[in-house]
Amino acid sequence: MGEKQKRRTLSGTTIHEVHRLLGTAFQYAVEWGIIIKSPVPVDSPKKSTQERTIWTVDEMRAALDSMEDPVLHLAVHLTLVGALREGEIVGLTPDDINFDAADGIGTFRINKSMQRVRKEALNQVDDGCIIKIFPDKLERSTTSLILKSTKTASSCRTIFMTSALKEELKKWLGQMAADESKDPERYRDSGMLFRLPNGLAIEPVLIRKKFLKWQDAHPEFPHIVFHGLRHSSATYQLMISGGDVKAVQGTTGHATADMLVNTYAHIQQSSRVELGKKFEEGFYAKPGTPSPQAVPAESEPTISVSALVELLKNADPEVKAQLRLALLT
């Protein structure tokens, strides 16, 4: 298969989940007497583990500095600070921003998400989760742009601003007011934070297209998908917090702590290399020599025993093995 064909195929993990869903459904059918035997094979396909491409903190800073498009710059800046999903970025409204909260630090709330869905599927969605349906831009459109509540309660969260992000948001809001004052009669206020100069809402696909265009112009950076920025941010926050999963989970909005651990633990290659060095230094040290972990280097991120115990509760076997090694060293 060519590269494009390979990208169209489903991953092993997706096939595994589909198999599990079908297996459960047909098993109920057998129990209810609808069919005699389940047609789903007993053995499920193995999950495929794919190395996630992320950026280092230096790459994140350099990339942000090189982005001249104000829409892309703000979207990426918000993602790196808050580890946001694409739909959450464009789902923000000005009312979600509070510059005076947290003793002047400033916060923004994540409680909505924007998504484009097929109209036939929209009829089957619970009306309670749909906040707004945007007007169609094209006649006979088969899809609708909607603003909906987040998929889980844990996805609703408050994120603290940085001073640089705070200033950029103030400048963005000022530009929005200037755009509206230029031609108020033709201005179509969508009510969203991310909007075009004419007031219409910016869709997630536009953010992705702008990011792809930027990547084509900057091949010096490792190629990642836009969602990789969320992974990069979450990984960096785990590292600088010394593995404080609960604190990072509050920012990322993962449903459970083990989901966060299982998603990001295997991509912290630099941390694992450092762990190996500390194991070697501590394991082969002469009696009476302090363990390298006993006296942490200045400004070195550490992880508490309680945090490691929290990680071990629901992590998958591979992650548990890595964390047990950390406890030993």
Side-chain angles (χ1 to χ4, degrees):
M1 292 188 296
E3 289 301 320
K4 289 186 178 180
Q5 289 176 315
K6 290 180 181 179
R7 287 195 292 267
R8 293 194 191 105
T9 59
L10 297 175
S11 66
T13 300
T14 300
I15 297 173
H16 177 90
E17 294 301 320
V18 171
H19 176 275
R20 185 171 63 86
L21 178 63
L22 291 175
T24 302
F26 279 106
Q27 186 59 41
Y28 275 118
V30 172
E31 293 180 7
W32 295 339
I34 299 174
I35 57 178
I36 299 176
K37 182 181 178 181
S38 172
V40 179
V42 176
D43 296 331
S44 62
K46 293 182 179 180
K47 291 185 177 181
S48 58
T49 56
Q50 185 176 1
E51 190 74 15
R52 298 178 186 272
T53 302
I54 61 171
W55 282 344
T56 64
V57 62
D58 291 335
E59 289 168 338
M60 287 189 278
R61 281 197 299 258
L64 189 61
D65 290 341
S66 70
M67 294 176 181
E68 299 178 354
D69 187 316
V71 173
L72 180 62
H73 191 283
L74 180 58
V76 171
H77 202 173
L78 284 165
T79 303
L80 295 180
V81 171
L84 307 185
R85 304 174 178 91
E86 297 168 34
E88 293 173 342
I89 298 169
V90 291
L92 287 166
T93 63
D95 292 338
D96 295 325
I97 299 172
N98 188 339
F99 293 120
D100 300 321
D103 296 326
I105 294 176
T107 63
F108 57 94
R109 297 175 300 170
I110 303 298
N111 51 25
K112 301 177 293 299
S113 180
M114 184 184 290
Q115 184 179 352
R116 181 167 285 280
V117 298
R118 295 186 62 83
K119 289 185 176 180
E120 58 186 28
L122 189 61
N123 297 329
Q124 304 173 12
V125 177
D126 181 12
D127 293 339
C129 72
I130 299 177
I131 300 172
K132 181 178 181 179
I133 301 178
F134 295 90
D136 292 339
K137 295 180 181 179
L138 301 174
E139 293 184 6
R140 299 180 181 179
S141 175
T142 59
T143 61
S144 293
L145 183 66
I146 65 170
L147 187 67
K148 63 183 185 67
S149 56
T150 52
K151 61 181 180 180
T152 62
S154 58
S155 295
C156 296
R157 58 204 190 274
T158 298
I159 308 243
F160 296 95
M161 297 181 188
T162 62
S163 56
L165 178 59
K166 187 175 183 179
E167 292 304 313
E168 184 173 1
L169 283 169
K170 287 182 177 180
K171 183 179 178 180
W172 178 262
L173 291 174
Q175 183 59 51
M176 283 172 48
D179 290 338
E180 184 174 6
S181 63
K182 289 178 182 178
D183 195 350
E185 293 184 0
R186 293 187 177 182
Y187 192 83
R188 300 167 64 183
D189 188 354
S190 62
M192 308 308 298
L193 176 66
F194 278 86
R195 61 181 79 168
L196 300 170
N198 61 3
L200 292 176
I202 291 178
E203 300 187 35
V205 65
L206 181 59
I207 302 294
R208 289 196 297 270
K209 287 181 178 179
K210 285 179 176 291
F211 186 65
L212 287 172
K213 183 179 179 181
W214 173 86
Q215 282 200 316
D216 290 340
H218 294 82
E220 67 272 19
F221 290 94
H223 190 277
I224 61 174
V225 296
F226 191 88
H227 196 72
L229 299 176
R230 170 173 161 83
H231 295 315
S232 301
S233 173
T235 302
Y236 178 63
Q237 292 184 48
L238 279 172
M239 294 176 69
I240 63 174
S241 67
D244 191 341
V245 177
K246 284 297 183 183
V248 178
Q249 182 190 359
T251 297
T252 62
H254 281 86
T256 60
D258 63 293
M259 183 181 296
L260 177 67
V261 175
N262 292 336
T263 302
Y264 296 106
H266 72 283
I267 59 178
Q268 299 183 47
Q269 189 66 24
S270 59
S271 296
R272 295 176 63 188
V273 170
E274 188 64 27
L275 178 61
K277 292 179 180 178
K278 289 180 179 179
F279 179 86
E280 182 174 355
E281 293 171 7
F283 186 80
Y284 299 107
K286 295 180 180 179
T289 304
S291 169
Q293 192 69 6
V295 186
E298 186 177 357
S299 302
E300 178 184 357
T302 59
I303 181 167
S304 65
V305 174
S306 60
L308 283 170
V309 171
E310 181 67 27
L311 295 182
L312 281 168
K313 286 182 179 178
N314 298 307
D316 61 31
E318 182 180 354
V319 174
K320 284 183 179 180
Q322 296 174 20
L323 295 176
R324 288 195 181 98
L325 178 61
L327 282 171
L328 288 172
T329 57

